[in-house]
Amino acid sequence: QVQLVESGGGLVQAGGSLRLSCAASGSIFSINAMGWYRQAPGKQRELVAIITRSGSTNYLDSVKGRFTISRDNTKNTVYLQMNSLKPEDTAVYYCYLYRGDDYWGQGTQVTVSS
C-alpha cells in the first residue's frame, strides 16, 4: 500500500503564494509519476500538474507560468509552488501517485480570497 500525506493548504489573498507538499510512504517502488489534481465545488476533478519519474512535467493551461511542480526523489515528496493565486484556484487539492495503479491523498483545502 501507498500512503500520501499532504500539507501546505490554507487561506491566502489573491496574488499571494502557497506551497503544497506531498510525502509518499509505504510500497513506493517504481513510481511512474506524481502530481496534483484539484476539485472545486460543483466541478469535476482536474489535473493541475504532474511530474514523471524522468522529470517531465505537464500543467493545466490556466496555471502555466504561475504554478511549478517539483519532486525530491530522495524524500519521495512532490511539491506544488503556487504563485499569483486567483480566486478561481480555490479548490481541494489532491496529491496523486501513479505506480501502475492510482493512489490519492486525502486532500488539502486552498482558498483564495479576492
Side-chain angles (χ1 to χ4, degrees), residues 13-60:
Q13 289 188 330
S17 298
L18 284 173
R19 188 192 195 207
L20 305 182
S21 299
C22 174
S25 61
S27 301
I28 51 177
F29 54 88
S30 300
I31 296 174
N32 290 335
M34 293 185 73
W36 295 91
Y37 281 71
R38 69 185 182 188
Q39 188 167 19
K43 296 187 177 181
Q44 289 190 331
R45 191 173 296 191
E46 62 183 356
L47 175 65
V48 177
I50 195 161
I51 184 166
T52 68
R53 183 170 51 192
S54 64
S56 298
T57 58
N58 195 28
Y59 293 92
L60 181 68

Side-chain angles (χ1 to χ4, degrees), residues 55-103:
S56 298
T57 58
N58 195 28
Y59 293 92
L60 181 68
D61 282 347
S62 63
V63 308
K64 287 180 180 177
R66 299 188 297 122
F67 291 10
T68 302
I69 190 169
S70 61
R71 180 171 167 178
D72 185 339
N73 290 330
T74 64
K75 297 180 179 180
N76 296 310
T77 299
V78 65
Y79 305 96
L80 186 67
Q81 179 65 43
M82 305 185 293
N83 299 328
S84 302
L85 282 160
K86 304 176 180 180
E88 51 264 42
D89 294 318
T90 294
V92 177
Y93 284 70
Y94 295 91
C95 181
Y96 169 76
L97 183 150
Y98 179 69
R99 194 203 60 178
D101 43 7
D102 300 328
Y103 294 91

